[in-house]
Amino acid sequence: MSAPFLIKKGKPLAVKNPTKQQISKVFLVIVVSKKVAPLAVQRNLLKRRTRHIFRELKPQLKPQTRELVIIYHPGASQLSFTELKSLIMADLKHQNYV
């Protein structure tokens, strides 16, 4: 089964003289279109779940992982939290971010 999302490395952000806090941040962009989840409630739930999963995974991410873009595909709104978490974790390991 292919994952109902795509994780890509984002473009680096131009920050002059970054602070320690900015260096340790992971910038996460989550894209959920109306084709994926027609109702705003469903789109927001998917985004909240994703942010929560990344909050838990942040200590495990490699230091060079700073910008991530997640683009959801149709069918993603049907996943439970545990299914989504296991798929995201597997994809991050596959792409060598963890």
Side-chain angles (χ1 to χ4, degrees), residues 12-23:
L13 299 173
V15 179
K16 293 182 180 179
N17 302 324
T19 64
K20 287 183 180 179
Q21 185 181 11
Q22 288 172 325
I23 290 173

Side-chain angles (χ1 to χ4, degrees), residues 39-73:
L39 298 176
V41 174
Q42 296 170 332
R43 292 191 301 273
N44 292 336
L45 177 65
L46 200 50
K47 291 177 193 177
R48 282 195 311 271
R49 286 179 173 176
T50 305
R51 283 192 295 267
H52 182 74
I53 290 167
F54 272 90
R55 249 181 255 121
E56 290 179 353
L57 294 177
K58 186 178 176 184
Q60 299 174 25
L61 291 175
K62 292 187 177 179
Q64 65 269 24
T65 307
R66 291 218 188 116
E67 304 88 17
L68 291 173
V69 179
I70 299 184
I71 302 171
Y72 282 99
H73 299 294

Side-chain angles (χ1 to χ4, degrees), residues 3-19:
F5 54 84
L6 174 68
I7 298 179
K8 299 191 314 186
K9 194 165 190 161
K11 294 182 180 177
L13 299 173
V15 179
K16 293 182 180 179
N17 302 324
T19 64

